[in-house]
Every structure is written in C-alpha cells, then in structure tokens.
Amino acid sequence: QVRLVESGGGSVQAGGSLRLSCAASGYTYRPYCMGWFRQAPGKEREGVAGIDSDAITKYVDSVKGRFTISKDNAENTLYLQMNSLKPEDTAMYYCAADDVLGWWWLLVPGRYNYWGQGTQVAVSS
C-alpha cells in the first residue's frame, strides 16, 4: 500500500528557510494528488499547500508568496520549500496523497486517504 515518509523539519530562526521532503512508495498507478498539512497545539489540522495531477497548485492564504510546493515524479518525491518562516508556522507538518481527488479538494484533510508520520517545524523569534 501507499507509504509516505516526511523529512527535512527542524528548528530555525524567524526569516529562515526549510525544505521539507515526502518520499512516496507503494502506489500502483499515477497520477497522484498530494498536499502538505500542519497542526499546531490547540489548533485544527489545516491544509498548507497542494498539487494536483496536472501540477496545478493551491496554497492557504497565510503562506502565499513564502512557500512553494513541487514534485519530482521521477524521484517519487514531494517538496515544500518554506522561506521567510514565521513563529506562527511552528507545527507538525504532514504529507498526504490521494489517487482520485482534484484541485478543489487539495487543502481539505478529510479528502485524503494516505498520510505520512509528520515532521516537526519550529520557528523561533
């Protein structure tokens, strides 16, 4: 079955950058829709960025202009480049994938079937 493994999290100062990676395996066909989600203490899990089977992207307003989602199909890897990080970006970040959903649902956690274990991002002021 599909497995997703995130990496690249860590601790940075405000204004710094991180690049998260999500390695996917176990899928039997392409294309997949994939996304990044985050959850901070006391908050609901929210969609951060998504990319559909046609490589169309979608971002939550709070990260537009700072984060970039991309994928390397040959490497079966999803990325999230995070620049100009803010303390409010601190959260556990999760990679998710689905084999059928489209652009409209990219930032909706309940529409994804496959999830990674998460990687922690901490931004200090």
Side-chain angles (χ1 to χ4, degrees):
Q1 60 183 10
V2 174
R3 294 179 177 83
L4 305 173
V5 180
E6 303 96 332
S7 62
S11 299
V12 297
Q13 291 186 328
S17 298
L18 285 172
R19 190 190 191 197
L20 306 184
S21 298
C22 173
S25 63
Y27 53 84
T28 57
Y29 64 93
R30 299 178 186 179
Y32 274 80
C33 294
M34 303 185 74
W36 289 98
F37 298 80
R38 65 187 181 187
Q39 188 165 19
K43 296 184 178 180
E44 298 293 321
R45 184 171 299 189
E46 67 171 346
V48 177
I51 185 165
D52 72 6
S53 58
D54 295 319
I56 306 301
T57 59
K58 187 179 181 71
Y59 299 90
V60 67
D61 287 345
S62 61
V63 309
K64 288 180 179 178
R66 300 189 297 120
F67 292 10
T68 302
I69 187 171
S70 61
K71 60 182 177 181
D72 185 333
N73 289 328
E75 298 283 341
N76 299 322
T77 303
L78 180 75
Y79 301 99
L80 184 67
Q81 179 66 48
M82 304 186 294
N83 298 325
S84 301
L85 283 162
K86 304 175 180 180
E88 51 263 45
D89 295 318
T90 296
M92 183 72 74
Y93 282 71
Y94 299 90
C95 174
D98 194 88
D99 53 5
V100 294
L101 67 80
W103 183 88
W104 189 259
W105 304 107
L106 283 176
L107 303 184
V108 181
R111 298 305 299 263
Y112 284 81
N113 290 311
Y114 311 112
W115 292 85
Q117 83 289 347
T119 185
Q120 182 67 46
V121 171
V123 185
S124 62
S125 59

